[in-house]
Amino acid sequence: MKIAVPFAVFSQPPIGQVGLTEEQAMQEYGDIDVYTSNFRPLKATVSGLPDRVFMKLRVCAKTDKVLGLHMCGEDSPEIVQGFAVAVIASLDKGKL
C-alpha cells in the first residue's frame, strides 16, 4: 500500500475509513479476509440507548496484515484514527 489517509464523513451517523476498500484490497493482494462486527457501544449499553456501530476490517489472508477499515456509528471518525496507525505501520491483525 502506498499511502493510507484516514477520512470521515460527519453525517448522522458518522462514517470513517482508512486504507483499502474491499475491491482495492482484492486487486492488490488477491485473497483477503473480511471481518465484520455490529455492536452496541459502551455508552449505549450503559444508558440503554439503541445505538449501534458497524465495523468492517480487511486483512491479507496470507499475512494477516491490516489493509483497511470502514466504520459507521457514533465516534467513528475518532476511532478510525487509531486504526490508521495499524494500517500505516503494516501491523497484523493479532497486534490490534
Side-chain angles (χ1 to χ4, degrees), residues 26-79:
M26 285 189 286
Q27 286 178 351
E28 191 167 332
Y29 290 88
D31 195 18
I32 65 167
D33 292 327
V34 178
Y35 300 91
T36 61
S37 181
N38 183 345
F39 60 93
R40 287 178 67 199
L42 181 60
K43 184 167 82 173
T45 303
V46 172
S47 66
L49 293 171
D51 297 358
R52 309 254 343 144
V53 173
F54 177 76
M55 182 183 290
K56 188 177 201 181
L57 179 71
R58 291 168 296 286
V59 302
C60 176
K62 294 176 188 169
T63 64
D64 254 1
K65 175 182 169 183
V66 177
L67 303 175
L69 174 112
H70 279 91
M71 190 170 178
C72 178
E74 191 170 345
D75 297 325
S76 292
E78 288 77 18
I79 295 168

